[in-house]
């Protein structure tokens, strides 16, 4: 796979992607907004794994920044063999009456940037006859959890279509659909998860290991863990009215007052 470019590499799943790829001896390009965290990570990866780690500070809500990352993906001097479109966040607001700017920010990071960067990477990779694109979706793509579900459903559908188009080019496209995973995601999004039992949680190490193994095998849809694969299979055959009922239940428990609110 050669050099890997990872968006959202400063925390959570992206940080774990960077570590596992570096440990497997891939050079990495680390993309996110937090320069200090990225620079520290790059130094740690170079020291621990003996690879080259490049820092590319970019805010993926900014079209010029996204264009700079796309230019890096087109480079022939130092080709990128794996693009991991991972950056994202939980929007955690009602659509009706919610902040429209925040909605557009989420769309920019989780849809527009994925589209622009995949476009640049796919073209360069097809010309070379090899490469892989890994998009981080979510099991939320199958649910009815507001615009976040819609963005992740787009990621899933987009990746499947891309995989069809890329067949026999030497380039693959994979979407990984994590369930709830211990990262900074819920804290940053101020999503109260205290009502959920421990059984629903995955750890970033397992999610990333499964995703990278599936990329290496050319799997198109990757769902880490048996419990979330089973859940996804059940959701696919369940009536959509039941899925909408789960959406209403989720809203109710995430809005419920907790001890911390008392
Ligand atoms: P996280 O720990 O909060 O990390 C999010 C990463 O995205 C950070 O590195 C952050 O970096 C970056 N990011 C956010 N906004 C950005 C922007 N405008 N420009 C550039 N980078 C930006 O969350 P995570 O759980 O690892 O999330 C990674 C992906 O997994 C997301 O796509 C998320 O939707 C998906 N996912 C997470 C879960 C879960 O339960 N954790 C479940 C399913 C799917 P900076 O702040 O430095 O920019």
């Amino acid at each position: 796979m050669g050099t890997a470019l990872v968006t959202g590499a400063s925390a959570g799943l992206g940080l774990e992607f960077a570590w596992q790829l570096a440990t497997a001896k891939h050079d990495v390009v680390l993309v996110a907004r937090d320069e200090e965290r990225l620079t520290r990570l790059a130094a740690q990866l170079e020291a621990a794994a003996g690879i080259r780690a490049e820092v590319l500070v970019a805010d993926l809500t900014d079209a010029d920044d996204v264009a700079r990352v796309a230019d890096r993906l087109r480079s022939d001097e130092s080709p990128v063999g794996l693009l991991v479109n991972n950056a994202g966040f939980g929007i955690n607001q009602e659509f009706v009456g919610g902040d429209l700017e925040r909605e557009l920010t989420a769309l920019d990071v989780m849809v527009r940037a994925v589209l622009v960067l995949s476009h640049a990477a796919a073209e360069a990779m097809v010309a070379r006859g090899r490469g892989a694109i890994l998009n981080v979706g979510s099991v939320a793509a199958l649910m009815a959890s507001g615009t976040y579900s819609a963005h992740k459903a787009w990621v899933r559908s987009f990746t499947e279509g891309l995989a069809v188009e890329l067949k026999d080019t030497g380039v693959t496209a994979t979407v990984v659909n994590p369930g709830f995973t211990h990262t900074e995601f819920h804290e940053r999004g101020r999503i109260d998860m205290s009502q959920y039992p421990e059984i629903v949680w995955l750890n970033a190490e397992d999610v990333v290991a499964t995703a990278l193994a599936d990329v290496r095998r050319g799997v198109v849809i990757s769902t880490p863990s048996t419990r979330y694969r089973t859940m996804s299979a059940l959701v696919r055959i369940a009536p959509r009215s039941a899925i909408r009922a789960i959406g209403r239940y989720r809203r109710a428990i995430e809005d419920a007052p907790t001890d911390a609110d008392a």
Side-chain angles (χ1 to χ4, degrees), residues 13-208:
L13 289 171
L15 181 89
E16 184 62 29
F17 273 116
W19 270 105
Q20 290 196 22
L21 286 161
T23 307
K25 296 293 172 202
H26 296 280
D27 289 343
V28 288
V29 184
L30 309 171
V31 179
R33 292 166 300 183
D34 190 328
E35 183 168 12
E36 200 185 314
R37 272 180 150 189
L38 292 182
T39 307
R40 193 168 55 234
L41 173 64
Q44 288 170 343
L45 294 175
E46 288 187 341
I51 50 92
R52 198 169 159 262
E54 206 177 307
V55 168
L56 185 42
V57 177
D59 181 344
L60 298 178
T61 63
D62 182 316
D64 291 339
D65 279 12
V66 177
R68 275 193 302 112
V69 182
D71 284 345
R72 177 63 189 84
L73 289 163
R74 288 190 199 95
S75 163
D76 276 332
E77 269 163 46
S78 174
V80 171
L82 170 67
L83 163 64
V84 184
N85 275 312
N86 162 78
F89 61 92
I91 178 152
N92 194 24
Q93 66 174 12
E94 300 287 302
F95 182 71
V96 180
D99 178 6
L100 183 58
E101 274 312 308
R102 189 164 159 76
E103 287 289 351
L104 293 169
T105 299
L107 194 74
D108 281 343
V109 175
M110 290 184 280
V111 176
R112 186 182 181 281
V114 175
L115 180 102
V116 174
L117 300 184
S118 297
H119 191 261
E123 204 168 288
M125 289 172 183
V126 168
R128 283 181 221 121
R130 62 178 185 282
I133 296 172
L134 170 61
N135 294 327
V136 179
S138 170
V139 290
L142 303 170
M143 307 305 289
S145 293
T147 51
Y148 182 75
S149 280
H151 301 335
K152 294 304 187 182
W154 182 89
V155 170
R156 182 189 172 99
S157 176
F158 166 70
T159 310
E160 278 199 279
L162 186 59
V164 170
E165 196 175 326
L166 290 172
K167 190 162 171 24
D168 300 328
T169 62
V171 183
T172 59
T174 300
V175 57
V176 60
N177 302 306
F180 294 134
T181 309
H182 288 298
T183 65
E184 296 177 14
F185 182 91
H186 298 97
E187 197 187 325
R188 284 186 190 226
R190 298 198 181 148
I191 304 169
D192 177 20
M193 299 296 287
S194 58
Q195 316 278 337
Y196 286 92
E198 192 49 39
I199 183 82
V200 304
W201 289 99
L202 303 174
N203 65 62
E205 199 179 329
D206 295 340
V207 169
V208 167

